[in-house]
Amino acid sequence: MVRQELVARQLDEQIAGRYPVGQRLRVLDVGMGQGTQALRLARLGHRVTGLEQDATMIAAARAALSGEPEGIRERMRIIEGDGRDTGVHFLPGSFDIVLCHGVLMYVEEPDPLLAGLARVLAPGGLLSLLVRNGDALALRPGLSGDWAGAQAAFDTVSYRNRLGLEVRADRLDALTATLAGIGAPLQSWYGVRVFTDLAVDGAEIPADVETLLAAEERAGRTDPYRRIAALLHLCGVRG
Ligand SMILES: C[S@@+](CC[C@H](N)C(=O)[O-])C[C@H]1O[C@@H](n2cnc3c(N)ncnc32)[C@H](O)[C@@H]1O
């Protein structure tokens, strides 16, 4: 919940700073999962395409969409496919915003996927990436008292996620260089989940959730806190 809410606020800030109020944007959400952000943006009036490879996730997204009014259903398109194949599905420059949130962890060679995302962005378009922060991997084991795990985490960008999968994180400097190389240089970045990374899955939402979100939001845009966030939200802009 913290992740989705913070990313939503950060994304809305980026959109507001870039486009006139009310402009209907063409959005692509790669690896949209059950479509939390995709659906939210469709509700705001944008035209959203979700590209997702997992049939179960697609079914969940379709089920969520089916409960929406017709106008929103018409604005959202769901495509089953691999995020590495955007060149198969879309023409260059066909989107104003491309989201790729929580996906790079699962992609062994992210550069071709990222280049494909930049290619489908229109000039001036926004590329929004949410990645695991590879510069702060020691924090979770360290704060949990797993000293050996913390030591090991300094020298790698691999980690075991909460599903038990061995996946990969991204370092800010490396991704900044990649974004420059694919013609969508980094314009802004935020930390996501500075204080709440140790919260257990399914934890009850506390009564003071608004205060929690305000603290997370502030930390996510303030050095040095944002540098040790569990996730980084990077915003590149297509030149
Ligand atoms: C952690 S979920 C994130 C979902 C959503 N973007 C969000 O932020 O809530 C990662 C999603 O990416 C999808 N995914 C991973 N690799 C993919 C790929 N190469 N192409 C398309 N989808 C992919 C998974 O199936 C999963 O639904």
Side-chain angles (χ1 to χ4, degrees):
M1 183 282 289
V2 171
R3 171 172 105 107
Q4 296 292 2
E5 179 60 29
L6 286 178
V7 168
R9 292 180 187 190
Q10 294 160 357
L11 205 48
D12 289 350
E13 176 178 74
Q14 291 296 318
I15 293 172
R18 214 164 296 281
Y19 298 100
V21 177
Q23 183 168 336
R24 296 194 167 204
L25 301 168
R26 301 161 296 169
V27 180
L28 172 65
D29 189 350
V30 171
M32 69 162 181
Q34 56 194 15
T36 308
Q37 295 298 332
L39 199 50
R40 190 184 72 84
L41 291 168
R43 286 190 191 119
L44 288 175
H46 304 300
R47 293 206 154 272
V48 184
T49 302
L51 178 62
E52 168 59 53
Q53 68 177 11
D54 185 304
T56 310
M57 287 294 177
I58 288 188
R62 284 199 201 286
L65 187 60
S66 69
E68 295 290 327
E70 191 183 347
I72 295 173
R73 290 203 309 271
E74 280 172 355
R75 282 200 293 278
M76 193 156 153
R77 181 166 60 133
I78 297 175
I79 298 176
E80 184 165 351
D82 194 309
R84 291 169 292 194
D85 295 336
T86 47
V88 173
H89 299 287
F90 314 113
L91 291 171
S94 34
F95 295 98
D96 305 300
I97 299 182
V98 173
L99 314 181
C100 185
H101 293 168
V103 178
L104 287 198
M105 299 86 168
Y106 302 100
V107 180
E108 268 180 43
E109 296 278 341
D111 289 10
L113 181 146
L114 290 171
L117 302 188
R119 180 183 160 278
V120 297
L121 263 181
L126 178 72
L127 176 56
S128 167
L129 301 177
L130 187 70
V131 303
R132 176 81 182 168
N133 183 0
D135 295 320
L137 288 180
L139 218 59
R140 192 185 285 179
L143 292 178
S144 312
D146 171 9
W147 313 121
Q151 276 282 24
F154 281 106
D155 302 315
T156 177
V157 287
S158 296
Y159 69 101
R160 193 175 293 274
N161 70 9
R162 289 184 187 196
L163 304 172
L165 300 171
E166 201 60 40
V167 290
R168 46 170 298 283
D170 285 280
R171 294 188 189 273
L172 179 61
D173 287 352
L175 215 41
T176 301
T178 302
L179 287 172
I182 61 173
L186 185 70
Q187 293 270 319
S188 318
W189 68 276
Y190 309 86
V192 174
R193 288 212 329 245
V194 175
F195 302 125
T196 48
D197 190 43
L198 291 188
V200 293
D201 286 339
E204 225 173 81
I205 295 177
D208 60 349
V209 64
E210 279 308 322
T211 320
L212 179 164
L213 289 168
E216 281 281 3
E217 196 176 3
R218 179 93 187 257
R221 56 176 71 242
T222 306
D223 281 323
Y225 304 101
R226 63 178 183 162
R227 289 202 167 260
I228 57 156
L231 304 166
L232 298 177
H233 181 192
L234 275 65
C235 299
V237 173
R238 183 90 166 107

